[in-house]
Structures are given as structure tokens and as C-alpha cells.
Amino acid sequence: MSAKAIDNADCNYGSHLWQLVSADLKKCYGQNLYNSWFIKINFQEFLGSNVILRAPTNFIRDWVLCNYYHNIIKSFKNYDSNISVIEIITAKNIEFASEVKTNLTVIGQDDVNFDDLSSYSDARYTFDNFIVDSSNRLAYTAAISIAQASEAIKSYNPLFIYGGVGLGKTHLMQAIAAYSKANNPARKVLYISAEKFMYQFVKALRNKDTMSFKEKLRGVDVLMIDDVQFICGKGSTQEEFFHTFNALADNNRQIILSCDRAASELDDMEDRIKSRLNQGLGADVHATTYDLRLNILKSKAMQMNIEIKDDVLEFLATKITANIRELEGALNKIIAHSSLVNCAINLTSARTIFKETISLKKIDVSIDHIQKQVAKKYALEIHDLNSNKRLKMMTRPRQIAMYLAKYLTIQSLSDIGRQFGNKNHTTVMHAVKRIELLCHNSYEFKSEIDSLARSIKN
Ligand code: ADP
Ligand code: MG
């Protein structure tokens, strides 16, 4: 084949891969986010094991890299394990103004209507259907106290709820909104995702209308911003966030924020903001316990008025440990299946339904199990993996175990760190990068890790 033909073949293959990955991203993030960001990105070329993509503007490139890099590379690797790095390039010399403009044609379709704040409460999420146990009690108690209070609670301002995905942070914020709407409708409560906050801010900048944006935000009694880890990297948005925050707190308005990690772990956030976020109450939602999972399943089945045998619920609570969102998905699947075949679900059929899902989505791999297998393979004890000892015979297996935890479970870096002797998420990130590099540089090493991963999954 001529060099040109190889280039063309590469390009076709690359475009095809990007189509597959884009379809995954659409499935994962939904049509709206897909239209906002990924639809505008094209495959450019391969450079060795690097995939080069092309974005129309720096703004889109930065946003996508900042928020979605990890999932993009993960999805690419699912299709081609040789891929190790994704780069996004842009056409040079694009003015900031035109970037904002390009982006905002999409943003306009997704505006938050500030005048109809109530539309942002989701009726499914209430305090009544939130199951409490030791893993979420602090966050629950603080949230319900805020909902019941008539004004801001100083010692909880801000309330900073943090923890891994699918553990009830959004549920609690929505429950505050729902409670206020029902019991104290005069209290102005605004729930907004950090991404929408950023959209609105950029839109106001473009329209030279930041004053009314500020006024609207500052006119609320309770401001909730969900997933503040997305407010990162952009100087002016952080600045606005900080001023809004101060203005509200100074006026004794309540602020509630959620985040996938502790405030101190927000690497891209300015220090003065981090320290401000720490001045109220930080409420950590921990990984779920077996009892919590079982109680949630029982409560959901009861709400739906569907009888499911205890052994089936126990099976789900044992197998699906990652988070509550996954657990709900599993329960819905069981219910859908039983209505489809029109028979009550029993343990054998539940097992059959899940066999495929579990091995596909790897949701039954626990960090305990990964640690056990890695310790066994390298003739160590589990506490060696969780310790801080820097002996080489321990650090490499520890990094491998963290890497596998990242790829075989859907737990956040912070959650993983916590389960490795309370380590910081940056330690986990460092371990993941280190192992990725070693895999990239040595085929033998990569095979060793792949075979370890397979034995853990089976
Ligand atoms: P997060 O915002 O932390 O990612 P969500 O609040 O979206 O998680 O929760 C994911 C799903 O799990 C939601 O459907 C929510 O209702 C449910 N859920 C989470 N925690 C609980 C709980 N303690 N009791 C009942 N349902 C819960
Ligand atoms: Mg959430």
C-alpha cells in the first residue's frame, strides 16, 4: 500500500472509531450535551497511539478536555486498546468573541428560565423517599434543617455536600427545593447545575448583560449549585461565582453546593474560593452499605407497589454495590422483565437477567476484591496496599490496584483513595497515569495488567 493509501485507511478507521465513541458519549450524556459539545468535534488523524481530534474553537476544546477527557479516552480504549492519548486541536487565531458566539447558538436552546424557578424541582426527589443511614445522615440532617428553617443557618453556610456519583447529592438538593415549594412558597429557591451556571454566565457576557444575571442570582433566598467541580479553569466564571457567593452570604442568604470531591481537592479552583467553601459545613456522602442498598430497594418496590421476594432484593443489594443509580437501574430492569414475560421474578431468573449485564458493565467488581487479587498476585497483604510505605515492592502493586479500581469500577478517584487507606484523589490519579505510561511503554507489562484485570472480572 502506498503511504497515501495508508493515510486514507487510517483516516477512515479513525473517523469510524470517533463515530462509535460519539455514539457512546451521546448515550452517556444525552442529546443536549451531545449537541452542545461533541457534535462539533471531528477526527483529524492518528499520530502513533495518539488520536488527534479537531474542535472548531478553543473554548469547546478546553471545555471538553476539562470535563469529558476521561470518558472519551476510556471509550476509545474500549474499541482500540492501543490508543493512549487524545489531543484536541483547533484552528488558530480564533477570536474569543467569535468562540463565544459559536458556542452560544447552542447554549440558547438550553437556557435556564430564571423566572420559573419552581420548574427546576423534580417531584421524584423528596425527603420522604430518601433513605437515611450512617453513610448519608450528616448531609440529610443538614439539608432538612435548611429546608425547614426560614432563613439561612450561619454554621451551614455554605452547606457543601460531597461524594461519588449516584449517592444522593442531587436528590437532597431537589428535596430542599420540593420542601420549600410545598411549605414555604414565598422563599425563593434556585437550583442550578454548575454547567448551566456557566452557560448563563457566558451568555450574559455575550449580551453584555451581566448585571441582570447578577441581580437574578443575588435575588434568591437559597441558591443551590449542583456539581461545582465543573466550575473550573475559567478565570472569569470563577470570579463571578465567588462574587455571587460572597454577596449572598453577606446578605444572609443560604448557599448549598454539591461536588464530587472535597473542596480542598478542587485542583482548578482558586485557593481563596476553596477556603471560602470550607467555612460552612462539609457533609460527605460515603459509599453505600449493604443495609442501605437493601432498604432502598424495599422502599422503591413498595412505592411502585410491586412485590419482589426478599432473596431477589438481597441478590441485587449484594451484587450492585457501585451506587444507588445503578441499583435503581437494576431494579427497573427486573420489573420490566417480569412484566414482559408476565411472571413473578425469582432468584434464578434474576441471576439470568443479570449475568450478562454484570459481566458487561463490571458492576460486581468491588475494590475489596481487586485488592485481594492484586495482593495475592504480588504476594502482599491487603494492608500493604493500603499503607503509606514507599518500598518499591509495595508501591507498584498499590498503583496497579488503584489503576484497576479506576477501570473496573465506576467509583470516583476520591472514593477509591478513601478505600486505599484514606488517600487523596491526586495519589490515585498519579497511580493511574503511572500505570498508563508503563502499559504504553511495555507490551509485556500491559499484558500482565490485562490478564490480571481478566482474572479479577471472572
Ligand atoms: P448524585 O447527585 O450524588 O450523583 P443522585 O442524587 O442523582 O446522585 O442519586 C442517584 C439516584 O439514586 C437517584 O434516583 C436518587 O433518587 C437515588 N438515591 C440516592 N440516594 C438515595 C437514598 N438515600 N434513598 C433513596 N434514593 C436515593
Ligand atoms: Mg448529581
PDB file of all heavy atoms in Angstrom, residues 102-121:
ATOM      1  N   THR A 102     -20.120  31.241  18.571  1.00  0.00           N
ATOM      2  CA  THR A 102     -20.375  29.918  18.005  1.00  0.00           C
ATOM      3  C   THR A 102     -21.031  29.029  19.047  1.00  0.00           C
ATOM      4  O   THR A 102     -21.974  28.308  18.781  1.00  0.00           O
ATOM      5  CB  THR A 102     -19.036  29.205  17.656  1.00  0.00           C
ATOM      6  OG1 THR A 102     -18.109  30.162  17.269  1.00  0.00           O
ATOM      7  CG2 THR A 102     -19.234  28.143  16.637  1.00  0.00           C
ATOM      8  N   ASN A 103     -20.503  29.129  20.241  1.00  0.00           N
ATOM      9  CA  ASN A 103     -20.984  28.252  21.272  1.00  0.00           C
ATOM     10  C   ASN A 103     -22.400  28.579  21.698  1.00  0.00           C
ATOM     11  O   ASN A 103     -23.196  27.707  21.997  1.00  0.00           O
ATOM     12  CB  ASN A 103     -20.043  28.373  22.462  1.00  0.00           C
ATOM     13  CG  ASN A 103     -20.171  27.178  23.347  1.00  0.00           C
ATOM     14  OD1 ASN A 103     -20.395  26.099  22.842  1.00  0.00           O
ATOM     15  ND2 ASN A 103     -20.068  27.379  24.612  1.00  0.00           N
ATOM     16  N   LEU A 104     -22.680  29.882  21.672  1.00  0.00           N
ATOM     17  CA  LEU A 104     -23.958  30.273  22.225  1.00  0.00           C
ATOM     18  C   LEU A 104     -25.156  30.003  21.338  1.00  0.00           C
ATOM     19  O   LEU A 104     -26.272  29.994  21.820  1.00  0.00           O
ATOM     20  CB  LEU A 104     -23.916  31.737  22.618  1.00  0.00           C
ATOM     21  CG  LEU A 104     -23.294  31.844  24.001  1.00  0.00           C
ATOM     22  CD1 LEU A 104     -22.920  33.256  24.313  1.00  0.00           C
ATOM     23  CD2 LEU A 104     -24.229  31.307  25.046  1.00  0.00           C
ATOM     24  N   THR A 105     -24.939  29.746  20.085  1.00  0.00           N
ATOM     25  CA  THR A 105     -26.098  29.369  19.294  1.00  0.00           C
ATOM     26  C   THR A 105     -26.726  28.121  19.906  1.00  0.00           C
ATOM     27  O   THR A 105     -27.925  27.933  19.858  1.00  0.00           O
ATOM     28  CB  THR A 105     -25.703  29.067  17.834  1.00  0.00           C
ATOM     29  OG1 THR A 105     -24.537  28.283  17.877  1.00  0.00           O
ATOM     30  CG2 THR A 105     -25.479  30.330  17.060  1.00  0.00           C
ATOM     31  N   VAL A 106     -25.876  27.293  20.491  1.00  0.00           N
ATOM     32  CA  VAL A 106     -26.400  26.083  21.130  1.00  0.00           C
ATOM     33  C   VAL A 106     -26.893  26.382  22.526  1.00  0.00           C
ATOM     34  O   VAL A 106     -27.943  25.950  22.954  1.00  0.00           O
ATOM     35  CB  VAL A 106     -25.295  25.007  21.200  1.00  0.00           C
ATOM     36  CG1 VAL A 106     -25.843  23.780  21.877  1.00  0.00           C
ATOM     37  CG2 VAL A 106     -24.779  24.706  19.824  1.00  0.00           C
ATOM     38  N   ILE A 107     -26.101  27.172  23.226  1.00  0.00           N
ATOM     39  CA  ILE A 107     -26.454  27.464  24.610  1.00  0.00           C
ATOM     40  C   ILE A 107     -27.868  28.035  24.708  1.00  0.00           C
ATOM     41  O   ILE A 107     -28.615  27.698  25.597  1.00  0.00           O
ATOM     42  CB  ILE A 107     -25.440  28.452  25.217  1.00  0.00           C
ATOM     43  CG1 ILE A 107     -24.109  27.721  25.376  1.00  0.00           C
ATOM     44  CG2 ILE A 107     -25.910  28.961  26.550  1.00  0.00           C
ATOM     45  CD1 ILE A 107     -22.975  28.643  25.679  1.00  0.00           C
ATOM     46  N   GLY A 108     -28.213  28.863  23.720  1.00  0.00           N
ATOM     47  CA  GLY A 108     -29.528  29.490  23.744  1.00  0.00           C
ATOM     48  C   GLY A 108     -30.673  28.496  23.863  1.00  0.00           C
ATOM     49  O   GLY A 108     -31.676  28.781  24.489  1.00  0.00           O
ATOM     50  N   GLN A 109     -30.480  27.285  23.319  1.00  0.00           N
ATOM     51  CA  GLN A 109     -31.577  26.312  23.372  1.00  0.00           C
ATOM     52  C   GLN A 109     -31.739  25.707  24.754  1.00  0.00           C
ATOM     53  O   GLN A 109     -32.681  25.006  25.037  1.00  0.00           O
ATOM     54  CB  GLN A 109     -31.289  25.163  22.404  1.00  0.00           C
ATOM     55  CG  GLN A 109     -31.203  25.601  20.973  1.00  0.00           C
ATOM     56  CD  GLN A 109     -30.521  24.549  20.142  1.00  0.00           C
ATOM     57  OE1 GLN A 109     -30.229  23.447  20.608  1.00  0.00           O
ATOM     58  NE2 GLN A 109     -30.250  24.889  18.889  1.00  0.00           N
ATOM     59  N   ASP A 110     -30.753  25.958  25.594  1.00  0.00           N
ATOM     60  CA  ASP A 110     -30.742  25.227  26.851  1.00  0.00           C
ATOM     61  C   ASP A 110     -30.784  26.183  28.043  1.00  0.00           C
ATOM     62  O   ASP A 110     -30.210  25.929  29.068  1.00  0.00           O
ATOM     63  CB  ASP A 110     -29.439  24.397  26.868  1.00  0.00           C
ATOM     64  CG  ASP A 110     -29.597  23.174  27.727  1.00  0.00           C
ATOM     65  OD1 ASP A 110     -30.749  22.852  28.046  1.00  0.00           O
ATOM     66  OD2 ASP A 110     -28.581  22.581  28.079  1.00  0.00           O
ATOM     67  N   ASP A 111     -31.443  27.296  27.852  1.00  0.00           N
ATOM     68  CA  ASP A 111     -31.426  28.301  28.908  1.00  0.00           C
ATOM     69  C   ASP A 111     -32.178  27.876  30.150  1.00  0.00           C
ATOM     70  O   ASP A 111     -33.155  27.152  30.087  1.00  0.00           O
ATOM     71  CB  ASP A 111     -32.114  29.579  28.393  1.00  0.00           C
ATOM     72  CG  ASP A 111     -31.231  30.299  27.417  1.00  0.00           C
ATOM     73  OD1 ASP A 111     -30.060  29.934  27.321  1.00  0.00           O
ATOM     74  OD2 ASP A 111     -31.728  31.222  26.757  1.00  0.00           O
ATOM     75  N   VAL A 112     -31.709  28.395  31.248  1.00  0.00           N
ATOM     76  CA  VAL A 112     -32.490  28.241  32.467  1.00  0.00           C
ATOM     77  C   VAL A 112     -33.458  29.406  32.488  1.00  0.00           C
ATOM     78  O   VAL A 112     -33.076  30.542  32.250  1.00  0.00           O
ATOM     79  CB  VAL A 112     -31.578  28.392  33.697  1.00  0.00           C
ATOM     80  CG1 VAL A 112     -32.413  28.392  34.963  1.00  0.00           C
ATOM     81  CG2 VAL A 112     -30.562  27.298  33.718  1.00  0.00           C
ATOM     82  N   ASN A 113     -34.705  29.124  32.769  1.00  0.00           N
ATOM     83  CA  ASN A 113     -35.653  30.212  32.879  1.00  0.00           C
ATOM     84  C   ASN A 113     -35.671  30.669  34.335  1.00  0.00           C
ATOM     85  O   ASN A 113     -36.282  30.056  35.187  1.00  0.00           O
ATOM     86  CB  ASN A 113     -37.025  29.709  32.439  1.00  0.00           C
ATOM     87  CG  ASN A 113     -38.031  30.821  32.502  1.00  0.00           C
ATOM     88  OD1 ASN A 113     -37.736  31.922  32.979  1.00  0.00           O
ATOM     89  ND2 ASN A 113     -39.226  30.542  32.014  1.00  0.00           N
ATOM     90  N   PHE A 114     -34.988  31.748  34.596  1.00  0.00           N
ATOM     91  CA  PHE A 114     -34.870  32.201  35.993  1.00  0.00           C
ATOM     92  C   PHE A 114     -36.202  32.627  36.576  1.00  0.00           C
ATOM     93  O   PHE A 114     -36.357  32.714  37.774  1.00  0.00           O
ATOM     94  CB  PHE A 114     -33.917  33.391  36.074  1.00  0.00           C
ATOM     95  CG  PHE A 114     -32.487  32.970  36.070  1.00  0.00           C
ATOM     96  CD1 PHE A 114     -31.715  33.134  34.941  1.00  0.00           C
ATOM     97  CD2 PHE A 114     -31.913  32.411  37.193  1.00  0.00           C
ATOM     98  CE1 PHE A 114     -30.406  32.760  34.923  1.00  0.00           C
ATOM     99  CE2 PHE A 114     -30.593  32.026  37.193  1.00  0.00           C
ATOM    100  CZ  PHE A 114     -29.837  32.198  36.045  1.00  0.00           C
ATOM    101  N   ASP A 115     -37.157  32.967  35.684  1.00  0.00           N
ATOM    102  CA  ASP A 115     -38.424  33.451  36.211  1.00  0.00           C
ATOM    103  C   ASP A 115     -39.307  32.320  36.689  1.00  0.00           C
ATOM    104  O   ASP A 115     -40.280  32.510  37.372  1.00  0.00           O
ATOM    105  CB  ASP A 115     -39.170  34.243  35.130  1.00  0.00           C
ATOM    106  CG  ASP A 115     -38.318  35.422  34.701  1.00  0.00           C
ATOM    107  OD1 ASP A 115     -37.583  35.935  35.571  1.00  0.00           O
ATOM    108  OD2 ASP A 115     -38.363  35.787  33.510  1.00  0.00           O
ATOM    109  N   ASP A 116     -38.975  31.125  36.284  1.00  0.00           N
ATOM    110  CA  ASP A 116     -39.803  29.995  36.686  1.00  0.00           C
ATOM    111  C   ASP A 116     -38.935  29.020  37.480  1.00  0.00           C
ATOM    112  O   ASP A 116     -38.631  27.926  37.046  1.00  0.00           O
ATOM    113  CB  ASP A 116     -40.378  29.313  35.440  1.00  0.00           C
ATOM    114  CG  ASP A 116     -41.281  28.150  35.825  1.00  0.00           C
ATOM    115  OD1 ASP A 116     -41.672  28.088  37.008  1.00  0.00           O
ATOM    116  OD2 ASP A 116     -41.565  27.312  34.957  1.00  0.00           O
ATOM    117  N   LEU A 117     -38.543  29.469  38.649  1.00  0.00           N
ATOM    118  CA  LEU A 117     -37.582  28.688  39.426  1.00  0.00           C
ATOM    119  C   LEU A 117     -38.152  27.333  39.812  1.00  0.00           C
ATOM    120  O   LEU A 117     -37.448  26.344  39.883  1.00  0.00           O
ATOM    121  CB  LEU A 117     -37.188  29.450  40.695  1.00  0.00           C
ATOM    122  CG  LEU A 117     -36.683  30.869  40.442  1.00  0.00           C
ATOM    123  CD1 LEU A 117     -36.239  31.496  41.737  1.00  0.00           C
ATOM    124  CD2 LEU A 117     -35.537  30.847  39.454  1.00  0.00           C
ATOM    125  N   SER A 118     -39.460  27.301  40.017  1.00  0.00           N
ATOM    126  CA  SER A 118     -40.047  26.067  40.520  1.00  0.00           C
ATOM    127  C   SER A 118     -39.921  24.925  39.516  1.00  0.00           C
ATOM    128  O   SER A 118     -39.954  23.769  39.873  1.00  0.00           O
ATOM    129  CB  SER A 118     -41.512  26.275  40.849  1.00  0.00           C
ATOM    130  OG  SER A 118     -42.161  26.726  39.686  1.00  0.00           O
ATOM    131  N   SER A 119     -39.761  25.263  38.226  1.00  0.00           N
ATOM    132  CA  SER A 119     -39.713  24.189  37.240  1.00  0.00           C
ATOM    133  C   SER A 119     -38.482  23.320  37.452  1.00  0.00           C
ATOM    134  O   SER A 119     -38.362  22.258  36.883  1.00  0.00           O
ATOM    135  CB  SER A 119     -39.700  24.762  35.829  1.00  0.00           C
ATOM    136  OG  SER A 119     -38.496  25.479  35.654  1.00  0.00           O
ATOM    137  N   TYR A 120     -37.558  23.817  38.263  1.00  0.00           N
ATOM    138  CA  TYR A 120     -36.362  23.030  38.467  1.00  0.00           C
ATOM    139  C   TYR A 120     -36.420  22.048  39.614  1.00  0.00           C
ATOM    140  O   TYR A 120     -35.438  21.421  39.935  1.00  0.00           O
ATOM    141  CB  TYR A 120     -35.124  23.947  38.526  1.00  0.00           C
ATOM    142  CG  TYR A 120     -34.697  24.135  37.124  1.00  0.00           C
ATOM    143  CD1 TYR A 120     -35.391  25.029  36.323  1.00  0.00           C
ATOM    144  CD2 TYR A 120     -33.749  23.317  36.533  1.00  0.00           C
ATOM    145  CE1 TYR A 120     -35.112  25.125  34.989  1.00  0.00           C
ATOM    146  CE2 TYR A 120     -33.462  23.417  35.204  1.00  0.00           C
ATOM    147  CZ  TYR A 120     -34.134  24.312  34.434  1.00  0.00           C
ATOM    148  OH  TYR A 120     -33.870  24.385  33.104  1.00  0.00           O
ATOM    149  N   SER A 121     -37.593  21.906  40.244  1.00  0.00           N
ATOM    150  CA  SER A 121     -37.628  20.861  41.258  1.00  0.00           C
ATOM    151  C   SER A 121     -38.235  19.608  40.638  1.00  0.00           C
ATOM    152  O   SER A 121     -39.176  19.655  39.855  1.00  0.00           O
ATOM    153  CB  SER A 121     -38.399  21.322  42.487  1.00  0.00           C
ATOM    154  OG  SER A 121     -39.728  21.522  42.150  1.00  0.00           O
TER     155      SER A 121
END
